Amino acid sequence: MLADAIRSETYRLSKNRTALFWSVLFIPIISVVLGVIAIIVAKAHEADLAGKLPPELLQRAPLNLAESLVKSAADFANPIVLLFILIGAATIYAGDYRWETWRLISARNTRPNLLTGKVVVVIGLTVLATVAGLLADIVTHLVQAVILSRSLSFSTDGAGFTDFVQLTLLSWARIIQFTMLALLAATVTRSLLAALFVPLVISVAQFFLPQMLMQMGVSPEGWVAPLLSPGLATDLLKAVIHGGMEAAGLPPQAALKAVTGLALWIVGPFVAAVAYFKRQDLSKE
Amino acid sequence: METVIDIRGLTKTYGTVRALDGLTLSIPRGGVYGILGPNGAGKSTLFRTLLGLIRPTAGDATIMGGPIGAPTSMRRMGSMIETPRFPPFLTARQVLEWLGRAHGGVTSTEIDHWLQRVGLAEAADRRVRGFSVGMLQRLGVAAALMTKPDLVILDEPTSGMDPPGIQEMRALIRSLADNDGVTIILASHQLQEVQRVCDRVAIFNKGKVVTEGRVSDLTAAGERLRLSVTPLARALAVLGDRASLDGDAVLASVPRAEGPAVIKALVEGGVDIEEARWIGADLEDVFMDQTGWTGVQELNHAG
């Protein structure tokens, strides 16, 4: 039954080219285009810019693709990427309210299955967006290597494959966390705009929250801070991945607290949305 | 009589409005069952409640042996509530594919069959954003029927359709009931259509059932004997307050069983009878009578 719900939602998304373009392809395409333009401009004005650009951009040293991918993975869950992934997530979560199609589909499967099916498809969408973003990064570096006559290397001395995987998973979890807020917002408000903007507003609030908590005397190493701020939890985990607990100067329990905080912000909105949706009147979607 | 739906004291309130007011009704298995009523009588609210889209304030119902919303019952039901809407970027075929997958899968042969049967074969690969209301209705009916349900709920299935479409839909509904053993419950404001296609009807008013029964019984209850007679005055005198004038004829409001006795009394009273025939009340008369609705009231209310 859940598999049916996933198949149905996947099929519908596969036909929604607009949502797929904006949530998966737009940012990678733009990043490749802007990246290539920047490289061409840099090449054309190499002599003029010699003292003004970062030396590594114009040096002839090999480009380390592994290091670059790790950096991209770590920074992937940024607000711009988030905004465009949320377009797809909001369309999936609020679409049946917007098109008044709950009345057609809710009789064909159970409500928890239908909502869980949407979540699985959105998770798939974020995987696609993550992979597309990383592929765009590789393409940009290949073009950079060709135009600037630089060789490519894949040295994992500084940042290994484990780091890459961990940071990718962390970025991905952060994006999933926001899509879960979109799910809850869409279910409660039945509005596509709310599904899009509520997570963005919360992401802005979470940006300032760690500083506010510290000003209020809340220690980032305790339980309260990572539970209240998944952004802080993510930053703690990044620090742990980059340097280990000791290098990051964190107590042994910090990683566990951060993982717990992030997991609660993913599971909590999902459970709340399913519980609410099970009892929701669909008299007028 | 085996029932497919048993409704017991179903109530749904929206603020101070009682859309369903302690509704109790048993719908038999098989055939076509009509739900009639003026706007706001509670027809769509009942359908939405039976489909689990809204929760009743009080009361309950059993559908094919299970409670409202039971997955086993729901999967044996098909429905179309009001004018259906679909994701605008999908084609008609893709709509059925999408809904079919949620149900566990429907083959492309079945999808083609239903598109053909509702007259959408030529528009199968057109996006639904350009569909007329009638085409959306047809697609909604195909979506309701494609999973071979035992029970189908159709809310205004012919709304927005042209006359040939209405005729085709009527034939389809009757065929499903007669040949495939499907129980069909439909609501419609087109009383002539209901009279033609339904076996039984329930008439709703203000969230309650005001009358229920076989269409033939309900219309027979309003039957009158139309008599072309001379002299008129003597016939009126014999029939007393059971008679009324209908042009040059007399209408006698008597049960069919009393017909021969009435004719005998007229003949013995010296009345010549040129023609005597029963004229039935149509469903519209029954509807007007039971709901207290008049066109004048409706117009005044609308104005």
Side-chain angles (χ1 to χ4, degrees):
Chain A
M1 291 276 277
L2 175 59
D4 295 337
I6 295 169
R7 270 197 290 271
S8 170
E9 197 62 49
T10 305
Y11 179 79
R12 180 166 59 173
L13 178 64
S14 73
K15 304 300 174 193
N16 191 350
R17 291 180 200 158
T18 308
L20 282 174
F21 172 78
W22 288 109
S23 55
V24 176
L25 295 177
F26 179 72
I27 287 288
I29 289 171
I30 286 296
S31 73
V32 168
V33 169
L34 292 180
V36 169
I37 289 172
I39 294 161
I40 292 170
V41 170
K43 174 74 175 173
H45 299 87
E46 198 170 354
D48 303 336
L49 297 172
K52 296 172 188 170
L53 284 177
E56 63 270 19
L57 190 65
L58 298 172
Q59 280 172 358
R60 295 284 183 261
L63 280 169
N64 188 345
L65 205 52
E67 198 175 281
S68 171
L69 282 178
V70 170
K71 190 172 181 305
S72 294
D75 297 336
F76 188 67
N78 64 67
I80 303 294
V81 171
L82 185 65
L83 170 67
F84 284 91
I85 288 179
L86 279 174
I87 289 174
T91 304
I92 291 168
Y93 291 145
D96 287 301
Y97 296 104
R98 185 183 181 202
W99 300 312
E100 297 181 24
T101 42
W102 272 128
R103 72 176 83 151
L104 284 171
I105 197 141
S106 64
R108 296 171 191 273
N109 212 312
T110 66
R111 290 193 184 192
N113 278 349
L114 290 168
L115 218 54
T116 308
K118 285 179 182 290
V119 169
V120 171
V121 172
V122 167
I123 288 173
L125 186 77
T126 61
V127 170
L128 274 181
T130 309
V131 169
L134 294 175
L135 282 175
D137 203 56
I138 292 172
V139 170
T140 307
H141 281 85
L142 289 174
V143 173
Q144 188 179 359
V146 170
I147 293 176
L148 298 179
S149 307
R150 294 171 68 178
S151 60
L152 282 170
S153 73
F154 199 85
S155 166
T156 57
D157 292 345
F161 181 70
T162 312
D163 283 4
F164 168 72
V165 172
Q166 286 177 333
L167 286 168
T168 304
L169 283 175
L170 188 60
S171 291
W172 181 68
R174 182 83 168 123
I175 291 170
I176 294 293
Q177 181 244 309
F178 281 108
T179 64
M180 289 302 184
L181 290 173
L183 168 68
L184 184 57
T187 308
V188 173
T189 66
R190 307 169 187 232
S191 158
L192 190 132
L193 282 179
L196 184 59
F197 287 112
V198 166
L200 290 175
V201 169
I202 291 176
S203 80
V204 171
Q206 286 182 350
F207 181 76
F208 295 106
L209 190 63
Q211 280 183 320
M212 287 170 60
L213 288 172
M214 276 192 276
Q215 284 174 355
M216 290 162 64
V218 177
S219 165
E221 294 164 6
W223 274 103
V224 175
L227 288 182
L228 282 180
S229 171
L232 178 65
T234 311
D235 289 343
L236 284 172
L237 289 171
K238 270 186 198 171
V240 171
I241 293 167
H242 278 308
M245 302 289 287
E246 289 178 15
L250 294 169
Q253 293 289 310
L256 173 67
K257 291 171 186 171
V259 169
T260 306
L262 197 54
L264 280 178
W265 275 84
I266 291 172
V267 176
F270 171 65
V271 172
V274 171
Y276 186 85
F277 183 60
K278 276 176 78 173
R279 301 181 61 81
Q280 187 173 40
D281 270 6
L282 295 172
S283 54
K284 181 71 179 173
E285 295 94 335
Chain B
M1 183 171 62
E2 191 186 359
T3 58
V4 68
I5 294 179
D6 275 309
I7 301 163
R8 295 171 296 272
L10 209 60
T11 300
K12 178 67 182 177
T13 57
Y14 295 103
T16 56
V17 177
R18 291 176 84 83
L20 294 177
D21 190 3
L23 187 85
T24 296
L25 179 67
S26 291
I27 297 177
R29 185 181 296 277
V32 184
Y33 196 97
I35 304 279
L36 307 177
N39 291 332
K43 306 182 298 290
S44 293
T45 304
L46 173 65
F47 286 170
R48 286 175 182 276
T49 307
L50 293 177
L51 289 167
L53 295 172
I54 57 175
R55 299 165 65 82
T57 310
D60 60 9
T62 307
I63 304 166
M64 290 182 283
I68 293 173
T72 46
S73 307
M74 298 294 282
R75 289 178 68 81
R76 292 167 57 203
M77 290 170 70
S79 63
M80 186 187 74
I81 305 296
E82 297 169 352
T83 302
R85 293 184 60 191
F86 306 100
F89 51 83
L90 294 180
T91 65
R93 189 189 305 281
Q94 287 167 350
V95 164
L96 298 187
E97 178 78 38
W98 160 57
L99 293 172
R101 284 180 187 223
H103 198 92
V106 175
T107 65
S108 56
T109 310
E110 285 172 319
I111 288 172
D112 286 340
H113 165 76
W114 282 109
L115 286 169
Q116 181 79 41
R117 198 142 178 206
V118 299
L120 283 178
E122 287 179 12
D125 296 312
R126 277 174 51 193
R127 290 188 200 287
V128 298
R129 66 161 57 97
F131 275 20
S132 66
V133 173
M135 292 168 83
L136 292 173
Q137 293 285 120
R138 287 166 187 261
L139 186 55
V141 170
L145 299 176
M146 70 174 174
T147 52
K148 298 185 183 128
D150 297 322
L151 170 64
V152 176
I153 291 177
L154 301 173
D155 192 1
E156 298 286 351
T158 56
S159 170
M161 282 188 187
D162 51 18
I166 292 172
Q167 204 167 10
E168 286 168 26
M169 195 54 64
R170 191 196 313 147
L172 174 62
I173 289 170
R174 263 314 340 162
S175 160
L176 287 166
D178 296 339
N179 304 328
D180 300 325
V182 179
T183 305
I184 295 176
I185 302 171
L186 67 86
S188 177
H189 284 119
Q190 297 181 27
L191 299 175
Q192 286 186 337
E193 285 303 314
V194 172
Q195 188 166 352
R196 283 181 184 180
V197 81
C198 290
D199 302 303
R200 295 181 75 90
V201 294
I203 298 178
F204 283 26
N205 198 20
K206 296 175 182 169
K208 291 181 174 172
V209 176
V210 290
T211 193
E212 194 274 341
R214 295 191 65 81
V215 173
S216 53
D217 293 343
L218 291 175
T219 51
E223 271 186 331
R224 284 170 293 178
L225 187 59
R226 190 176 192 280
L227 300 154
S228 297
V229 291
T230 49
L232 269 176
R234 189 170 294 172
L236 290 171
V238 170
L239 292 169
D241 59 3
R242 294 179 298 178
S244 60
L245 277 174
D246 181 25
D248 294 337
V250 172
L251 290 178
S253 300
V254 293
R256 189 173 275 245
E258 291 180 20
V262 167
I263 290 172
K264 188 179 174 192
L266 286 168
V267 172
E268 286 174 358
V271 176
D272 290 333
I273 303 173
E274 294 165 23
E275 185 191 16
R277 63 185 169 94
W278 289 98
I279 55 169
D282 58 19
L283 207 49
E284 190 172 309
D285 296 330
V286 178
F287 179 87
M288 299 295 191
D289 182 46
Q290 293 294 332
T291 60
W293 189 95
T294 69
V296 174
Q297 279 176 336
E298 186 75 0
L299 287 171
N300 286 342
H301 184 70

